[in-house]
Amino acid sequence: MDSSQAIIKPALQALFQTEWEQCRVILFSAPCGFGKTTAATALLAQHTVCRYDAAEPDFLSTPISPGCDAVLIDELQLVQESADQQTICEWIKANPCKHFVLLSRGIVPGWLMPFQFTGLLRTIDSKALLFDRAATAKLLEQNGIFPAAEELTAIQAESIGYPLAVSILCSCMAGGVPFSAAVADEVRRQLFIHYEEAVYRRFPLPMRQLLLNLAPFEPITPDLAILLSGDGHAGELLGQIQRDTTMMIYDELDSFHLWPAFRQFLLWEMQQRYTPAEQNAIYSRAALYYDLQEDYGKALDCYARSGEHRKVTELLIKNAEQHPGVGHYYDMEKYYYAMPREEVLQSPTLLCGMSMLTSLNMDYEASEDWYAELKAYAARLKKSDAEYKDVQGKLAYLDIALPQRGSNGLLELIRSVFTILTNKKIQLPAFSVTSTLPSVMNGGKDFCSWSKRDEILYDTMRKPVETVLGRGGIGLADCALCESQFEKSKDVSTRMLTLMSRLGEIQRSGTPDMEFAVVGLLARLQVSQGKAAAAVELLENLRTKFIETGESRFLPNLDAMLCRIWLRTGDTDRVARWLREKAPSTSPRLRALWRYQYFTLAMVQIANDDCDGALLLLAQLLPYCVHCGRTMDVLHIRLLMAICYFRLRNKVWKAALSAALDTACEHAFIRPVAQYGGAVLPLLTSCGWQGDAAYLEQVIAATREQTVNYPDFLVCTHQMAEPLTVTELQVLKLLCHDRSNGEIGEILGIKLATVKTHVSHVLQKLGVGRRNEAKAAAEKLGLL
């Protein structure tokens, strides 16, 4: 393309100009097809340029012309000889008045990194070279194609602004051909042919085979590459691919993913070159890798694709032997539900697993049906049968662990199970009292009713509970008693010291579930004392440990706990990042095991003045919590709903708060109410609750203390004085997707002057002065 006709989006022009002014070496690093040469040529149009192409022999034999102010070196990834690398480095050092523009399909090579470390070299990556909507439209118009707004939207979404794809599209739509699925397929076909000739065939055979083997899987790791290829040097090949093409992108150290368009090509190529048996063999090896990594969702997918249905069943049975805190029920649920009923009925382990899974999915009728089938299975056994103890143990496990059973009658059941265990009449599966939550009282089960008699139960039930729970019971009684008294706002310093003295024993002989509960309780105590920084440090150290030991199942709740502290300390940037990257999905249905994260999400919504969103989420959680007897969760739902209704000026806040106070008073709980500080204080002082006046006085005093510690907790400190109109919100969303005023007007069907007025109002209401500040402000307000 003639450089005068090249499409350079304003953002790229501004970025290049900034880099030109602040450094001397600019590296364009992007895969094939991003228009690096065309863009660089157009951007250098006003300069005198010496051009070099590393694809040509002896390309460095011609010295740099003294009259040029810029040196352009294309195909830099081909510079492999140390002598050539040294020559380029010497040129950069010897010509301090000249700029060097380097074009490469790879990343910054090691021999250029010293310039990067000193700030002399900066990169322009593939993201900067992608066309935005305006650039795509301009290239189409240059080729006589004038799509309607909806058609342009579809083109941009399909092409993602990939310059090569848009260029091919221009030829496919020439002559007035409308954009369609068939046109998109043709663009894809031509793109794949180009990749095959310009990229794929340039790789040596071992590298090509490795890429085909890896194409179906993400992320890609060296261990996965070695297992799939059987080549101990596969990691080195990965490094070479990444260095020389940037078709493989770093996610983190030793973890990559393929550039999406190139991955699609490799999957297409795989279908052309491998027989079904060869493809099955690849999926089978990948399944083994994921199985060993305990990534059971991916392992099941690969086993199913490889046709190894026996392995699928084995893995489902293996997972069903785990309690929900360890098992991967949600990851594997589609495979459980797909199993023939007759097959499930033949396995007590699967019957137990299906009863638990359906309960976790809040389908209690189905859960009880599967339980009944397991009981019928047990009734057919004799005490002398090998399965008898195991099946009886599974029934006892479900009696204790099924969420819908609550905690009523659990004491008697545990005593009974303790007696049977002592007599070795059953084999009990492993338990998790916490279900990966940072709590014993409100973990896998709600034990609020036990809190009324916490000290008596500690003395009488400690041994039976720890016996029934095995490793999971180590430290449990001490933690439960300390947590119970903490919720009552009693002085737990002595009990906490006792509990911490057992942490080493818990780490050695107990479970990480109990370790999280203990450390989480200490963090909550520190937060209540105004020592939020110490609590954050404590939790971040535990997070690091869990990552090192592979206990990633705790991270979602641990991160949610950190987010709650950041809400208290006003760290809005970290809260916004949690909301953007780690908040739980609320569709297609809520997950019982994620409720701690849902409560955190509701708090963030309240802090962002999205009380309607918080109420919707809490309303979905309430039936589960009531049905399963989760007293503490219902208490928090009532409190958060009361705060929301109060801010919405809905008088029902008094009824919600009164119900919460009734529950809290019944159990002598102070901390669950007081922790909401300034968000709940005005409600407490004006609610007119008719309950225990002395109790209310204690709650208000504790709430004032927390308000002093964290005056901005759940207070919308960045609330807009005036809300955005529907149109202004639409303008904001398009503005945050880097749409120009003209594009916004075209999409919304309004005049340019009207768009400018809306943009001005949006910036004013957000309290920012520039367009590029609007996105950060909108994210903090939860508007995107």
Side-chain angles (χ1 to χ4, degrees):
M1 179 186 291
D2 183 352
S3 62
S4 64
Q5 298 295 311
I7 307 298
I8 304 297
K9 62 182 182 182
L12 176 59
Q13 179 77 56
L15 175 61
F16 181 81
Q17 186 61 38
T18 299
E19 306 296 42
W20 182 274
E21 294 170 356
Q22 296 184 1
C23 67
R24 282 203 303 113
V25 185
I26 301 174
L27 173 70
F28 285 73
S29 171
C32 170
F34 274 81
K36 297 181 292 295
T37 303
T38 300
T41 300
L43 290 166
L44 291 170
Q46 304 303 315
H47 299 274
T48 305
V49 184
C50 283
R51 301 175 184 276
Y52 298 88
D53 190 338
E56 298 177 358
D58 301 323
F59 74 101
L60 295 177
S61 58
T62 304
I64 298 174
S65 169
C68 74
D69 66 337
V71 178
L72 177 66
I73 302 178
D74 205 348
E75 301 284 6
L76 186 75
Q77 76 280 354
L78 299 178
V79 180
Q80 301 293 333
E81 298 295 329
S82 58
D84 292 339
Q85 296 169 359
Q86 186 64 31
T87 297
I88 294 174
C89 290
E90 291 299 331
W91 280 3
I92 294 172
K93 294 175 183 176
N95 293 274
C97 296
K98 300 184 188 299
H99 281 75
F100 287 77
V101 178
L102 314 176
L103 313 181
S104 175
R105 295 183 183 183
I107 60 174
V108 179
W111 52 276
L112 282 178
M113 282 186 176
F115 297 112
Q116 185 180 37
F117 296 153
T118 59
L120 197 64
L121 180 150
R122 294 189 182 178
T123 61
I124 293 177
D125 62 16
S126 56
K127 184 177 180 181
L129 293 168
L130 287 172
F131 287 166
D132 57 16
R133 182 186 173 93
T136 298
K138 189 173 182 180
L139 182 58
L140 291 169
E141 290 169 5
Q142 284 183 357
N143 287 271
I145 302 166
F146 301 92
E150 290 184 2
E151 192 176 24
L152 180 58
T153 298
I155 289 170
Q156 186 68 15
E158 181 69 31
S159 68
I160 64 169
Y162 181 35
L164 178 57
V166 179
S167 297
I168 296 173
L169 180 66
C170 289
S171 65
C172 292
M173 293 181 67
V177 177
F179 183 72
S180 64
V183 170
D185 288 341
E186 176 59 22
V187 170
R188 200 173 291 111
R189 187 187 69 82
Q190 292 189 33
L191 187 62
F192 290 171
I193 291 172
H194 175 79
Y195 278 153
E196 187 164 24
E197 297 300 326
V199 181
Y200 181 71
R201 291 190 179 278
R202 294 187 180 186
F203 293 134
L205 183 59
M207 197 175 290
R208 276 183 268 164
Q209 187 169 353
L210 177 62
L211 283 168
L212 290 185
N213 291 350
L214 291 171
F217 313 110
E218 286 191 331
I220 294 167
T221 65
D223 288 342
L224 175 62
I226 290 169
L227 192 147
L228 291 180
S229 66
D231 182 358
H233 300 287
E236 298 172 15
L237 292 177
L238 286 180
Q240 185 178 341
I241 295 169
Q242 207 277 337
R243 286 193 303 272
D244 296 346
T245 69
T246 61
M247 286 294 190
M248 190 168 285
I249 303 166
Y250 274 116
D251 293 319
E252 55 189 44
L253 187 64
D254 287 339
S255 179
F256 316 86
H257 71 272
L258 292 163
W259 170 252
F262 188 59
R263 181 173 185 248
Q264 290 180 4
F265 158 73
L266 290 173
L267 291 171
W268 174 79
E269 188 78 10
M270 181 183 181
Q271 295 293 327
Q272 313 302 312
R273 297 189 178 276
Y274 284 176
T275 66
E278 289 171 329
Q279 293 180 42
N280 287 346
I282 291 171
Y283 281 110
S284 180
R285 292 196 295 271
L288 176 61
Y289 168 79
Y290 290 126
D291 199 344
L292 293 171
Q293 295 292 317
E294 298 185 354
D295 190 341
Y296 296 127
K298 290 182 178 178
L300 279 171
D301 182 60
C302 291
Y303 280 135
R305 287 174 178 268
S306 68
E308 297 181 80
H309 299 297
R310 181 179 59 82
K311 287 285 190 180
V312 171
T313 301
E314 289 177 358
L315 195 52
L316 291 174
I317 291 175
K318 179 180 177 181
N319 182 74
E321 292 171 345
Q322 307 289 330
H323 60 72
V326 174
H328 300 260
Y329 288 90
Y330 290 152
D331 294 335
M332 303 165 78
E333 65 177 330
K334 70 175 182 179
Y335 296 97
Y336 278 113
Y337 284 124
M339 292 194 73
R341 182 178 178 84
E342 295 72 20
E343 188 172 349
V344 177
L345 292 174
Q346 295 172 14
S347 168
T349 300
L350 288 175
L351 287 168
C352 181
M354 287 300 295
S355 181
M356 179 56 71
L357 173 61
T358 49
S359 178
L360 293 174
N361 283 333
M362 306 181 196
D363 186 353
Y364 308 117
E365 183 177 352
S367 176
E368 294 298 341
D369 285 345
W370 288 117
Y371 176 87
E373 292 291 356
L374 180 60
K375 199 166 185 178
Y377 188 103
R380 295 192 293 269
L381 297 176
K382 299 177 182 178
K383 290 186 178 181
S384 57
D385 288 338
E387 288 183 292
Y388 180 81
K389 288 185 178 181
D390 177 63
V391 175
Q392 292 296 329
K394 286 178 168 55
L395 286 169
Y397 161 76
L398 290 175
D399 286 334
I400 295 172
L402 282 176
Q404 70 268 25
R405 300 292 178 85
S407 57
N408 291 332
L410 199 55
L411 285 174
E412 292 73 18
L413 180 60
I414 289 177
R415 288 191 182 101
S416 174
V417 171
F418 171 64
T419 302
I420 297 172
L421 275 175
T422 304
N423 296 329
K424 300 182 179 179
K425 293 182 179 179
I426 64 171
Q427 297 171 356
L428 202 61
F431 279 86
S432 171
V433 175
T434 69
S435 294
T436 72
L437 275 76
S439 173
V440 171
M441 279 188 60
N442 189 28
K445 290 276 189 175
D446 181 284
F447 294 108
C448 286
S449 60
W450 294 20
S451 181
K452 298 176 182 179
R453 299 176 290 156
D454 50 17
E455 294 190 5
I456 295 173
L457 290 175
Y458 177 81
D459 293 333
T460 59
M461 290 297 296
R462 175 176 176 173
K463 185 175 180 180
V465 167
E466 293 187 350
T467 300
V468 169
L469 298 179
R471 290 179 60 237
I474 297 176
L476 183 144
D478 289 305
C479 185
L481 179 58
C482 187
E483 184 177 359
S484 173
Q485 305 221 338
F486 170 77
E487 300 293 14
K488 298 172 184 177
S489 206
K490 294 184 178 181
D491 181 4
V492 295
S493 54
T494 301
R495 293 194 182 280
M496 197 73 231
L497 289 174
T498 301
L499 184 58
M500 293 307 296
S501 71
R502 298 197 65 190
L503 185 59
E505 178 191 359
I506 293 169
Q507 292 169 332
R508 289 190 307 272
S509 307
T511 63
D513 305 66
M514 192 53 56
E515 180 181 6
F516 185 29
V518 171
V519 174
L521 178 57
L522 176 58
R524 290 168 60 201
L525 175 61
Q526 291 174 327
V527 168
S528 72
Q529 295 171 337
K531 302 174 183 177
V536 168
E537 182 180 2
L538 180 71
L539 292 174
E540 287 183 339
N541 288 339
L542 182 62
R543 190 181 196 282
T544 300
K545 177 186 176 183
F546 281 157
I547 291 173
E548 291 173 350
T549 56
E551 300 288 355
S552 59
R553 59 195 172 96
F554 295 99
L555 299 186
N557 286 329
L558 201 157
D559 288 335
M561 194 173 191
L562 283 166
C563 182
R564 294 186 185 195
I565 300 176
W566 297 329
L567 280 168
R568 285 174 165 82
T569 59
D571 194 336
T572 55
D573 289 338
R574 286 187 173 180
V575 171
R577 191 179 311 126
W578 180 87
L579 181 63
R580 184 173 60 251
E581 298 174 1
K582 298 178 180 179
S585 170
T586 56
S587 61
R589 61 170 176 259
L590 298 187
R591 308 289 200 177
L593 291 179
W594 296 357
R595 65 186 184 281
Y596 187 85
Q597 300 161 59
Y598 293 137
F599 280 116
T600 305
L601 176 57
M603 293 178 197
V604 173
Q605 290 171 323
I606 292 171
N608 287 339
D609 201 34
D610 182 15
C611 288
D612 288 327
L615 284 170
L616 179 61
L617 176 57
L618 294 167
Q620 294 177 78
L621 284 170
L622 186 57
Y624 160 77
C625 296
V626 171
H627 188 97
C628 295
R630 304 208 65 92
T631 302
M632 185 66 79
D633 286 338
V634 172
L635 171 58
H636 284 294
I637 288 174
R638 299 295 189 200
L639 288 166
L640 292 171
M641 280 185 158
I643 292 169
C644 291
Y645 286 133
F646 181 80
R647 294 189 182 178
L648 294 172
R649 297 178 175 82
N650 188 325
K651 294 181 179 179
V652 301
W653 71 264
K654 289 189 177 182
L657 182 63
S658 293
L661 289 174
D662 288 342
T663 300
C665 183
E666 177 188 348
H667 296 83
F669 291 156
I670 293 176
R671 192 75 60 188
V673 182
Q675 66 170 314
Y676 292 109
V680 77
L681 183 58
L683 285 70
L684 293 172
T685 56
S686 59
C687 64
W689 181 59
Q690 299 301 308
D692 187 329
Y695 167 78
L696 182 60
E697 187 176 337
Q698 283 183 284
V699 171
I700 291 176
T703 304
R704 293 188 190 282
E705 181 181 349
Q706 293 309 304
T707 304
V708 171
N709 288 338
Y710 311 106
D712 294 330
F713 181 45
L714 299 191
V715 175
C716 188
T717 56
H718 42 263
Q719 184 175 359
M720 291 185 294
E722 183 181 355
L724 297 176
T725 66
V726 173
T727 303
E728 287 169 349
L729 183 58
Q730 293 174 330
V731 169
L732 171 64
K733 290 179 178 180
L734 292 170
L735 189 152
C736 291
H737 280 85
D738 299 323
R739 298 294 186 261
S740 66
N741 286 350
E743 291 175 305
I744 294 173
E746 182 181 359
I747 294 170
L748 297 181
I750 56 180
K751 295 180 180 180
L752 182 61
T754 305
V755 174
K756 291 181 179 178
T757 300
H758 283 314
V759 170
S760 176
H761 289 167
V762 167
L763 298 182
Q764 183 179 7
K765 289 182 179 182
L766 291 177
V768 297
R770 299 179 182 178
R771 295 169 70 102
N772 59 8
E773 297 172 343
K775 186 172 184 178
E779 285 179 343
K780 288 182 179 180
L781 289 164
L783 296 175
L784 300 181

